[in-house]
Amino acid sequence: MSYNPYMRRRNFATNNPQGADSGTYAGEAADFFVAPAILGADTLANNWATPLSGIQNKAVVSGASVASDVIQGAACDWTDGNSVTIDERVLTLTDLMVNEELCRGVILPTWQGMTGARDSMPWSNDSFRNFVIATVAAKVAQQVELAIWRGGVTTGQKGFLSNDGTFNAAADLAAGTLAGATTVDIGTGITNSNAISHFNSVYTKMAETTPAALTKPDIAFYVSPKTYALYCQQLAGLGSAVSGTTGQGINNQASAQSFLNVGFMGIPIHVTGGVFDDAIVMTQESNLYVGSNLQTDYTQARYIDAWQYDGSDNVKISMRFGLGTQSGSPVEAVVGAVWVS
């Protein structure tokens, strides 16, 4: 047998596919990918709640209430006024995970269109990998926002208003981390003809039960996009700016006016898809806490080239993280709901 100098020896892999383990990120290395999935949720991205990172399992959230008789007349002896009450509440994380499989043939054209990448670029280069993970993280952020307020339907994770994604009875609020908040009836539901009166019902209840909260700089309403839209509709149709006319709205602009940053009685309205329709929450931003295990060794993100293993055209994305919510002082919150009798 003669030697052919043009023939090259082929080296076949005997271990895992090349680069198979290069897409695993754990601990702080995973924060680059997991943090956008958590902190990208509207409530956290807009600083409408206090984020608590670095929690491994549980954290204590302390609140304090001070009675009006905290100041006493001067005396020689020590007299404990017993006017300060410390309320400690535990924020417990629920372990969550994301397992998603995406077809390279579907997502690659989008990546190429955004980056101008050529067909010759390898499938598993860092740019494509990061794009895939970021795409999944953006969708996860939307679900995290729901979990923050509504809880987990299958995981049992506690949200502010529920722990199972429903808000049909007092038991739902009792299962959430705003359990103990003052509730107020908003009738059969919010429409574009009664939205203002329902906002006023919640505002009035806060003035009656916790008037000091109205003076706090971070007091706010939290509502769904639907509730906000109905409120803006009513604003556009109210008033009689010109004698004998109705439905002209503020400044006689009707529906032609801008409704950016609309508030009620000088208090901002935070619009989030996490709050249920037909619900109005009023509390301080600093009274709401969202905890996670970011910046710990317990977060993980993994990019798996499944096509190297099973002959498919798929890649898999896995994320593991912990999430939890808690309120510092539920009595300083008012929740308007249709089920309040």
Side-chain angles (χ1 to χ4, degrees):
M1 179 177 178
S2 61
Y3 171 73
N4 187 341
Y6 298 101
M7 293 182 64
R8 296 182 179 179
R9 181 179 179 182
R10 301 178 185 271
N11 294 319
F12 293 94
T14 56
N15 298 317
N16 291 333
Q18 183 178 3
D21 296 327
S22 61
T24 299
Y25 311 89
E28 292 186 2
D31 287 353
F32 179 79
F33 302 101
V34 179
I38 298 176
L39 303 180
D42 288 343
T43 297
L44 293 177
N46 293 292
N47 296 317
W48 295 340
T50 302
L52 299 176
S53 301
I55 302 173
Q56 296 186 8
N57 183 21
K58 297 180 180 181
V60 175
V61 176
S62 298
S65 59
V66 181
S68 58
D69 59 351
V70 66
I71 299 178
Q72 307 178 47
C76 293
D77 295 329
W78 172 270
T79 304
D80 187 359
N82 196 28
S83 302
V84 179
T85 302
I86 303 297
D87 181 21
E88 291 188 345
R89 299 170 61 81
V90 178
L91 188 156
T92 303
L93 298 185
T94 299
D95 291 330
L96 305 173
M97 72 176 186
V98 175
N99 286 343
E100 290 296 326
E101 186 176 73
L102 296 87
C103 177
R104 294 185 303 171
V106 174
I107 197 170
L108 181 67
T110 303
W111 171 64
Q112 290 176 330
M114 294 180 62
T115 63
R118 298 175 297 174
D119 291 339
S120 59
M121 294 188 70
W123 290 99
S124 294
N125 71 75
D126 290 341
S127 177
F128 178 68
R129 178 186 304 155
N130 293 347
F131 173 75
V132 173
I133 297 177
T135 300
V136 174
K139 297 300 181 182
V140 173
Q142 298 176 9
Q143 295 302 309
V144 168
E145 181 67 14
L146 293 177
I148 287 174
W149 288 95
R150 304 184 182 192
V153 177
T154 58
T155 64
Q157 178 256 326
K158 285 189 174 185
F160 291 127
L161 298 177
S162 178
N163 72 336
D164 61 1
T166 60
F167 195 61
N168 301 320
D172 294 319
L173 180 60
T177 51
L178 272 176
T182 302
T183 57
V184 60
D185 185 16
I186 57 174
T188 59
I190 301 173
T191 68
N192 58 9
S193 62
N194 65 19
I196 291 177
S197 65
H198 290 326
F199 271 95
N200 190 53
S201 296
V202 174
Y203 180 90
T204 301
K205 182 63 70 172
M206 178 66 80
E208 293 173 348
T209 58
T210 319
L214 295 176
T215 65
K216 304 299 182 180
D218 61 343
I219 189 72
F221 290 98
Y222 295 82
V223 300
S224 70
K226 176 184 176 181
T227 298
Y228 183 76
L230 294 173
Y231 174 61
C232 291
Q233 279 186 313
Q234 189 173 14
L235 290 179
L238 277 180
S240 54
V242 181
S243 178
T245 64
T246 59
Q248 297 303 307
I250 300 174
N251 295 329
N252 203 31
Q253 297 180 60
S255 59
Q257 59 190 304
S258 173
F259 287 101
L260 297 176
N261 301 319
V262 172
F264 181 84
M265 297 293 291
I267 296 175
I269 300 175
H270 297 333
V271 184
T272 164
V275 176
F276 293 95
D277 294 334
D278 294 326
I280 300 175
V281 179
M282 187 179 187
T283 190
Q284 303 168 58
E285 297 169 353
S286 57
N287 194 32
L288 302 177
Y289 296 87
V290 180
S292 70
N293 56 4
L294 290 174
Q295 302 175 353
T296 72
D297 294 334
Y298 296 95
T299 55
Q300 183 183 95
R302 175 171 293 184
Y303 175 94
I304 304 171
D305 283 321
W307 56 274
Q308 295 193 67
Y309 294 96
D310 57 16
S312 68
D313 198 25
N314 299 324
V315 295
K316 296 180 178 181
I317 305 299
S318 172
M319 295 182 183
R320 292 181 180 271
F321 56 90
L323 185 70
T325 66
Q326 191 53 271
S327 57
S329 181
V331 296
E332 295 184 1
V334 175
V335 178
V338 298
W339 40 260
V340 180
S341 57

